Every structure is written in structure tokens, then in C-alpha cells.
Amino acid sequence: MTQTRTTIRRRRAFVALAAATAALGLMPLAAQAGTVAEAKAKGTVVIGIQGDNAPWGFVNSSGVQDGLDADIGKAFADYLGVKAQFVPLAVANRIPALMTGKVDVLFATMGMTAERAKTIQYSKPYAGNVLSVYGPKDKKIGGYDDLKGVAVGVPKSSAMDTAISAGAKSANILRFDDDAANIQALLSGQVEVVGGNQFYGDRLNTAAPDKYEPKFDLTTLYNGAGTRPGEKDWNETINAFLDKIKADGELAKIYDKWMKREVPKFPEQLPDIPFTAQ
Amino acid sequence: MASIGPNELFFLAQGLKWTLALTLIGFVGGGIFGLIVALARTAESAALRRVTTGYIAVFQGTPLLMQLFVVYYGVALIGLNIDAWLAVAIAFTLHASAFLGEIWRGGIQAVPKGQTEAAKALGLHYVSTMKDVVLPQAFKISLPATIGFLVQLIKGTSLAAIVGFVELSRAGQIVSNQTFRPLTVFAIVGLAYFLICWPLSLWGARTERRLQTATR
Amino acid sequence: MSYTLDFSAVIERLPELLLAALATIGLALAGMSLATVIGVLGVVARRSRFKLLRGLVIGFVEVIRNTPFLVQIFFIFFALPQLGVRLNPTVTAIIALALNGGAYAIEIIRGGVDAIPKGQIEAGLALGLHRGQIFRHVILKPALRTVYPSLTSQFVMLTLTTSVCTSIAAYELTSVAQKIEADTFRSFEVYFSITLLYLVISSLMMGVFALISRISFNYPVK
């Protein structure tokens, strides 16, 4: 008796789900997205930022958004004459958050890749990030070929994942939720090497002095602000803003504060990644 | 090597605050909608019963993590522009309403039929029958299971970490990464959950024993 | 702007998803089998004459049942290596599932064992059965039968819990789904489809459990 009842219940579950799918499929789905004018009228710009990727974007111990991206976000809000409202995002959900209109713009350590450029509109680059493979000093890793059968940790949905997945097909790639878990996996010995950004070196050195080193560079990734494709107003406003802070030294100040290095020379263009909305 | 000082403990406490807030929202929201689900599940209308049965089966037959993902990305698609934490709160409310609805359905059906019939014979209408006769007894019967689910819900909020929400578990991961002491940090995090859940579990077990002796 | 649903990314990579679904089922089955063993052994230990052993079992059950699975699996994967115990993601996942399911199984089976009338055990003693025989035939078998519905529904929940193993990069349905999501940015479509797939898996599981029950418990109760 209970069995039959369960079967019926299950069948109803499918009917319910199927009905939901059909309803969703029929609706022309409109994600809510504000324009620059609307943000100005509201008095706030909603900025997507990474929640735990120091020194790019993170929540400091008083629970406030901090880091390079946060400072640039604040400068952007000042430029618009509005308040900045930060939405902390993880690596895996930042693009969906933009596409579904949860945020107006992403200053979320968004490495500029051609694949992502198919989905979102990048601004001009405003930061640079050297991605490398990090491993213990006593292990010989000179290039992709040495990664054969090696356990490599990468953060989910990261450019390191894309690069290593393409370059070392026979590596045993383990994808972790974020940088924190990825670094932890290397320190715990759960992976032999990791793909990481230019800050992995410092963080690994603090954890285990003189044990790890960068093995080889994957690529230099430039970070740009992300907006929804076709939304010219946001793209043009951000590019104008970036030109301004590059010219008046504000970017250099922010860069020195967080990156402790000079602003890199940015390329005028990147293959397959347009900086301006068409 | 950094050590675990007041700053780190404060950060964990901030995470704990969100864990408790999410639980509270899920439990209160889930309680309100769960009551509606339970009443619809025991209603006379076959259509209502069928719809709620499907609703419950979907939420009980799929992982909470997937429910979080689907609601998280789904709410924006149907035109709602809402905060991440609100999306998570909605997901927990839906999840809790299905489970609490099913638990309370059991409670409602455990109240002897004769009581409803007696109430009807006395001329009480539906609202009064439910409010004054059936529900008080049903809640008493369902109390142990309700407390049990509350514990499940507190633990379940940890999955909000995977969606990028900084609650206790994710705060633990971040601190463990900053201090490089995973053993200590996860022991502290585990202890925090335990200290919240264990008294509830004990309370649940006690109410269950009391209920058993009462009905014996 | 408008967002149009597009499931083609999911359909294109369906073979990958189905393979991952098998991995999920594999993890779940391994976890359940070990959980049952832990459950039975735990009940035996819980009835032991040694206070320490009883205390350990009670402590284990309470700790596991009152902490989140995510924290448990993080602890095994990230913290245990500090003590020299290093397990790969799949092994970690199976052990975490087994311990978690095992703690619940101990409580559930114990409930069934406690429900066995004393007279039945006395009858066994009168028949000259020794302790082991009594436990196996008079206590355990009928108890397992009584608790079968609760135990199996707990196991369905355990199956759904396997999704959390994505956090330690174990190979299973959710982690593969996340990879596809990362490649295509079709978040909603991917997660919606995966949810449906999980519903199929849990339904299948319930169907099989019902079938097993019908076949193996197909003798009169009293």
C-alpha cells in the first residue's frame, strides 16, 4: 500500500516538474536590468565583487567589502555620483549574477578571455594577473607535459582551469570551490600542484616558507569590468571612467595600495575580446 | 604562520550570525507555508492534495544543494531582481515548507477522525475545527519531528557556502585558508554547530519519550 | 534584455552527465553498504557490557548527527592530512557518506532492536540458542525488517547528500554539472536538468527498495 502511494507521489512529482518546465519554456523571460540612468535615479549602482579573493575583492574582518576591486567600485560610484552597493559573489556565480540582472556591473577579478567575451561585454582592462602553476620546490615541473597524471588543483570556473584543461589533457584536474579550498588542497597534500594567480606565491610562502615556487606561467590575464552585452550605456560609462582614473593617477594609487606594484602596461586590444559594445 | 586570534573568532562569529539568520528565516517562512502545505495536503479537494503531494515529492526527492542553485538562478529569470541572500532565504523557505508540511500532515492525520466529526456535529466550521481542535493536537504529536527537522535545517544552511554565501562553514574555510590551521578551524566550526544542534536534539528526544509515555 | 532558455548545452553533454549520474549512484551504494555495516556493528557495540565502548558509540552518533555533512567531509579531506591521513576525493566521499549514514543507521536499527519483545529473547534462550544466534536470528533480522522503511528513506537522503561531495572535487553528478555550467554559463538550464536527474535517481532508488522489500519480506509477519 505504502509502495503504491509512493509511486503515485513520485509520478506526481514529475508531472509537477514537467508543468513547471513547460511554463518556463513558454514565457519570454525578461531579466531585470537597470540602465545607467536608472542607477543614477536610484542613487545606487549594484556592483558584483568577489567575496574572498584578497587582495582583489574580499570581506574584511569588520564584514565590509575591501580590496582593489572594492576601491575601484567605490571610485566608479563616486564618478557616477551615486552610492555603491556591493554584492559578494563566488567565482562560479559571478557571470550568472550579471546575466540574470542581479548586479549592474562586475568588478569581480574578471579575467578577460575570448570564451567569456562571447557571453559578456568587457570594458578596457584595468588590472593584470600573471597565472602560473605552483608546486613544491623538489618537484620538477617545467611545462604542460610534466603534468601528465599529476593531481592538479584549480578553482572551479577559473582561467587556470581553462588553461590547464586545454594544455594538459592527461593531467588529473581537481576543481575546488574557490582559491581558499584550492590552496588548502595543496597545503594538505591532496594535490601535487595548483594553478593559481600571482598572489599564490605570497600566500603559500606564508603558510610553508620556502616549500613552494612558481613552476611555469600559464598566461597573463587582464581584468576588465563586465557588463551585459548590448548595453552600450554601461560599457561607455565604464570605459570613460577607466580612462579618467588611468590618466589622473587614481588607478596607480589604488594599485600601489593593494598590489604593491606598478600598474602594468595594458594592451590596446586583445584577440576576440572587444572592449567596446557594438 | 598566523594564529587564530580574536579577529578570526570574530569572523567566525559573523558567519555564525548568518547561519542563525538563515535558519530563522527558513524556519519561520517554512513554518507559515508549511502550514498551508499541510492543510492543502489534508484538504477535501483532490486537486489540492495532488499538487501539494507533487510539491513535497520534488523537494524531498532532490538535493538541497540543487534546490539552492535552481532557486538562486531561477528567481532572477522570472523577473525578480533580488539580493543573493534573499534568493537563498527563499530556497530555504521552500525547502522547509515541503518538509514541515509533510511532518504536520502526519500530525493532522494522527488526530482521530472522530474528533473532526464531533466538531462538525457541534456545528464548528473548518477554520475553527482546525484552529481549536485538530492543529493544537497535531502540533503536539509532530513536535519531535519538527525539532528534528530544525536540526536538519541548521546543518543544511551550511550548503549556502557552496553558492558563495559566507555563513559559518564558508567563514571556516576562509579562516582556515588564512591561518593554515584546518584541523583547529574545522574543529571549532564543528563544535559551534554541535553546541547549537545538540541541545535541540536532546530536547527532541525528550519530547518524543514524553509523547510515547503519554499515549501508552 | 530578455533571457531565452536554451537546453542545447545540456543535451549536447548528456552522455557526460549520465556517466556522472552512475558515479553518483556508485558513491551512494558504497556509502549505504558501509553505513549498514556500521549500523549493525554500532548497535552491537551499543549493547556491549563495556561502558567505554557504549560511550564511544553514543558520542560518535551525537557528533555526526549534530554537525553538517559539509563540515565532516571538509574535516576528513583538508584537516586529517595534518595528522598524516591523506585520502583521495572518492575515498573521502565514500568514508564521509558511510560515517554519516552509519550514525543514522545505528539510531534507526537500535530503535528496531529495542522494539523486540523481551519474551522473544527469552524464548530463544529457552530453545538453547547462544548469544550470537539470538542476536542474529531473534533480534537483528526482525529488527531490520521493522526498520526497513526508515532505513531506506534515510538512504535516499544519503544519495541526495552525495551532491555535497563536489566541494572536495570528487567525481559525481554535481561536479560535472558545475564544469558544464562553467563552460557554457547556462546555469539555470544546467541545474534545472540536474535536479530532474536527481529526482529520477531518487525515484529509481525508492522503486528498487520497494521491490527488495516485496521480494525479501514476502512472508507473513505474525
Side-chain angles (χ1 to χ4, degrees), chain C residues 50-70:
Chain C
F50 303 106
K51 214 173 167 186
L52 183 69
L53 194 57
R54 289 205 305 269
L56 280 178
V57 176
I58 294 172
F60 165 74
V61 169
E62 293 301 329
V63 166
I64 295 284
R65 293 205 312 167
N66 289 296
T67 53
F69 180 75
L70 184 69

Side-chain angles (χ1 to χ4, degrees), chain A residues 222-242:
Chain A
Y222 293 96
N223 293 351
T227 51
R228 284 170 291 267
E231 293 186 0
K232 266 193 164 160
D233 53 343
W234 282 112
N235 174 255
E236 279 164 8
T237 313
I238 290 171
N239 278 338
F241 157 73
L242 289 175

Side-chain angles (χ1 to χ4, degrees), chain A residues 248-267:
Chain A
D248 69 8
E250 191 169 2
L251 180 64
K253 235 193 296 170
I254 297 175
Y255 220 82
D256 184 59
K257 176 178 168 195
W258 293 107
M259 303 288 128
K260 311 256 183 286
R261 57 193 87 196
E262 303 219 325
V263 180
K265 215 179 138 24
F266 295 112

Side-chain angles (χ1 to χ4, degrees), chain A residues 157-206:
Chain A
S157 322
S158 65
M160 292 79 99
D161 185 5
T162 317
I164 297 173
S165 296
K169 288 216 159 37
S170 50
N172 173 22
I173 301 173
L174 298 182
R175 298 177 178 88
F176 294 98
D177 289 339
D178 50 24
D179 285 317
N182 191 33
I183 290 178
Q184 194 73 72
L186 179 66
L187 294 173
S188 303
Q190 292 289 10
V191 293
E192 293 159 89
V193 298
V194 290
N197 59 36
Q198 60 203 20
F199 299 105
Y200 272 44
D202 290 345
R203 292 171 80 174
L204 288 169
N205 214 17
T206 327

Side-chain angles (χ1 to χ4, degrees), chain C residues 187-203:
Chain C
S187 326
F188 182 77
E189 290 87 335
V190 170
Y191 291 126
F192 190 82
S193 314
I194 300 308
T195 304
L196 206 65
L197 210 47
Y198 273 109
L199 193 58
V200 172
I201 293 173
S202 64
S203 306

Side-chain angles (χ1 to χ4, degrees), chain A residues 11 21 39 42 119 170 182 185 189 199 209:
Chain A
R11 208 170 299 146
T21 327
K42 252 193 324 184
T119 312
S170 50
N182 191 33
F199 299 105

Side-chain angles (χ1 to χ4, degrees), chain A residues 76-248:
Chain A
F76 180 56
D78 287 346
Y79 175 80
L80 290 179
V82 297
K83 251 180 57 205
Q85 184 197 336
F86 289 110
V87 177
L89 300 167
V91 173
N93 66 11
R94 53 194 175 172
I95 289 179
L98 174 71
M99 298 309 289
T100 53
K102 284 190 158 91
V103 298
D104 291 324
V105 46
L106 288 178
F107 284 106
T109 329
M110 286 288 300
M112 302 171 75
T113 65
E115 192 185 16
R116 286 180 186 158
K118 283 185 210 151
T119 312
I120 66 164
Q121 173 65 52
Y122 277 107
S123 69
K124 294 178 179 175
Y126 67 86
N129 195 355
V130 184
L131 306 182
S132 323
V133 166
Y134 291 85
K137 285 192 168 154
D138 50 17
K139 195 167 170 71
K140 199 205 148 284
I141 302 265
Y144 285 126
D145 293 344
D146 294 333
L147 293 181
K148 200 171 184 172
V150 171
V152 187
V154 291
K156 269 170 198 160
S157 322
S158 65
M160 292 79 99
D161 185 5
T162 317
I164 297 173
S165 296
K169 288 216 159 37
S170 50
N172 173 22
I173 301 173
L174 298 182
R175 298 177 178 88
F176 294 98
D177 289 339
D178 50 24
D179 285 317
N182 191 33
I183 290 178
Q184 194 73 72
L186 179 66
L187 294 173
S188 303
Q190 292 289 10
V191 293
E192 293 159 89
V193 298
V194 290
N197 59 36
Q198 60 203 20
F199 299 105
Y200 272 44
D202 290 345
R203 292 171 80 174
L204 288 169
N205 214 17
T206 327
D210 290 328
K211 189 159 178 224
Y212 301 100
E213 62 179 10
K215 293 298 183 184
F216 67 95
D217 289 349
L218 296 165
T219 171
T220 297
L221 203 59
Y222 293 96
N223 293 351
T227 51
R228 284 170 291 267
E231 293 186 0
K232 266 193 164 160
D233 53 343
W234 282 112
N235 174 255
E236 279 164 8
T237 313
I238 290 171
N239 278 338
F241 157 73
L242 289 175
D243 285 343
K244 179 188 161 280
I245 60 169
K246 279 176 191 171
D248 69 8

